[in-house]
Amino acid sequence: MSRHTGETAEAEAPSAGAAAGGGVRRPLGRLGGPAVRTRLGTLAGVVILAVLFWRLGTGAFVDGVRRIDAPTLAAALGIGLVTTVFSAWRWALVARGIGIRLPFGAAVMDYYRALFLNAALPGGVLGDVHRAVRHGQDAGDLGRGVRAVVLERTAGQLALFAAGGVVLLTMPSPVRDQIRQAAPPAALGVVGACAVVLALRMNRTPSGRKPREVRGMLGEARQALFSRSTAPGVLVSSVVVLAGYVAMFVLAADVAGAGASVAELLPLALLALLAMSLPLNVGGWGPREGVAAWAFGAAGLGAGRGLTVAVVYGVFSLAASLPGAVVLVARWYAATRDRRTADPAGPVPASCGFRPLAPRAPAPVVRIPAQLSEVRSEKYAPKESARLARSSLPFSAVPSEGRPMTPESV
């Protein structure tokens, strides 16, 4: 009896441990979900802005908004038009490289809508998520639609990192000495990582579904970004887009009265743009303002001035994305009109308590031959006396057959 009890306890112990492990892993999995990461990034952006306003005051924010006028907003809209058109062209090239079609006009409108949603919603990436899902559904391949957007954004980030590394290594900036010290170890680390990847690729085994999927994704990335048909366009569009972002930052610095040359502002602009790529913002606000305030303070231009420049840049970015709101409203109106055209009567409300009756099927028609109908009509035709009796109305003077007219019969 005791032996059986001991075996039962030993059998139940692993199951209890597995249940405990599953109970621990489930909350950890929820913490690593995209919704939780978005909320944490939004919270981090709010904390950064709160610390900045606490240390530097709200005067820099108010001063930046007050300095903006109509001509500068028009210039920001023009720069935003150029960057959006070239970004949409890059997206169309990448989508074509992985085998899905994306018309250029639709790409421009969808990109504007994504920019507006990125600026208006927390997280700063929900517009790109919406763009990826909608394009994948329209193309009939959700996976490729998502990968096209991811690769397009990756191309922009690679251009930003490459330009930022070259500029911050060669031009005076608050982080030039630190970057020069960190550049050799980083380069050795990249070379070592490439060597490890090459060794694994040479000694890989052909079996396994996951390695095949990884190789397929790498092949798509190579075809979309580095093939002869797409690489020149992707490179040119990325350079133009990055130049547009830097030009908008220089315009914001001029509006804020920074009093610095373009050569002095270029490293600071790239630092602010690199900070914007961090997923710790509220519609793009947060790390950009913090890094700009620190970089301008370290460069001797004043932390408050850097915060003002970042605020003006944020307002310019929001203004440049406003055509996306027009696209959003126009698409919503067109979808509503199409639904009304397809169903003029409109759906029956559920609160009415009844369903519309289905149309009844027509009754079958029985055809009788002409001869048979004549015989039946002659055989079963009523007699003349019966026809007279039926046709006689009450209080009529016409007598019934075989019955005299009496007061009782009347």
Side-chain angles (χ1 to χ4, degrees):
M1 186 68 179
S2 61
R3 180 181 180 182
H4 178 72
T5 305
E7 291 177 355
T8 305
E10 291 176 358
E12 290 177 354
S15 61
V24 172
R25 285 193 298 269
R26 193 175 295 112
L28 292 178
R30 291 176 180 176
L31 287 175
V36 176
R37 289 198 300 267
T38 301
R39 293 190 181 96
L40 291 177
T42 303
L43 180 61
V46 171
V47 170
I48 293 173
L49 291 176
V51 171
L52 287 174
F53 291 152
W54 172 56
R55 296 295 300 271
L56 301 177
T58 59
F61 183 87
V62 175
D63 185 41
V65 174
R66 188 185 296 119
R67 288 173 175 269
I68 299 173
D69 53 7
T72 55
L73 280 178
L77 282 171
I79 296 173
L81 175 63
V82 173
T83 56
T84 303
V85 168
F86 276 88
S87 297
W89 179 41
R90 181 176 62 194
W91 182 27
L93 288 174
V94 171
R96 187 180 64 187
I98 63 175
I100 55 179
R101 181 176 175 272
L102 177 61
F104 178 68
V108 172
M109 290 189 291
D110 289 346
Y111 215 101
Y112 259 122
R113 180 177 58 187
L115 290 176
F116 174 73
L117 293 177
N118 284 340
L121 298 177
V125 295
L126 295 181
D128 292 328
V129 173
H130 181 264
R131 172 165 62 104
V133 173
R134 288 297 300 270
H135 179 222
Q137 291 175 348
D138 294 340
D141 193 336
L142 183 59
R144 286 191 178 183
V146 172
R147 290 195 293 273
V149 173
V150 171
L151 290 174
E152 185 268 328
R153 297 298 298 166
T154 302
Q157 295 298 319
L158 289 176
L160 176 60
F161 292 151
V166 172
V167 169
L168 295 177
L169 277 172
T170 57
M171 299 184 67
S173 67
V175 295
R176 184 177 64 177
D177 296 336
Q178 290 81 357
I179 290 180
R180 285 182 175 180
Q181 293 177 1
L188 291 176
V190 171
V191 172
C194 291
V196 170
V197 170
L198 183 61
L200 292 176
R201 185 174 180 179
M202 293 177 62
N203 298 325
R204 69 175 183 267
T205 56
S207 62
R209 180 180 177 184
K210 205 163 187 179
R212 286 198 301 269
E213 292 179 354
V214 173
R215 288 196 298 272
M217 293 175 62
L218 292 177
E220 278 188 348
R222 183 172 59 251
Q223 184 67 26
L225 300 180
F226 304 109
S227 64
R228 292 181 179 179
S229 59
T230 60
V234 170
L235 179 60
V236 170
S237 60
S238 299
V239 170
V240 172
V241 171
L242 182 58
Y245 291 158
V246 173
M248 188 175 291
F249 190 89
V250 172
L251 177 62
D254 182 67
V255 171
S261 63
V262 176
E264 292 175 338
L265 291 174
L266 183 58
L268 308 181
L270 289 173
L271 283 174
L273 292 176
L274 288 170
M276 285 179 59
S277 62
L278 298 175
L280 305 173
N281 56 76
V282 186
W285 298 77
R288 176 184 60 210
E289 284 70 26
V291 171
W294 168 79
F296 272 72
L301 299 175
R305 188 65 64 189
L307 178 58
T308 303
V309 172
V311 168
V312 174
Y313 182 89
V315 175
F316 283 168
S317 300
L318 180 60
S321 69
L322 286 181
V326 179
V327 174
L328 189 65
V329 173
R331 293 282 180 87
W332 171 80
Y333 176 75
T336 305
R337 185 183 57 188
D338 293 342
R339 284 197 298 267
R340 290 178 179 176
T341 304
D343 189 9
V348 178
S351 59
C352 293
F354 63 90
R355 297 180 180 176
L357 296 177
R360 295 183 178 179
V365 180
V366 180
R367 300 184 179 274
I368 302 176
Q371 299 177 355
L372 183 59
S373 62
E374 293 177 357
V375 173
R376 290 183 177 179
S377 61
E378 293 178 359
K379 182 177 180 180
Y380 296 102
K383 296 181 179 180
E384 186 68 22
S385 59
R387 195 160 46 242
L388 290 175
R390 283 196 303 271
S391 64
S392 61
L393 298 174
F395 304 103
S396 175
V398 181
S400 299
E401 181 181 1
R403 294 182 182 178
M405 288 290 295
T406 60
E408 290 78 3
S409 64
V410 175

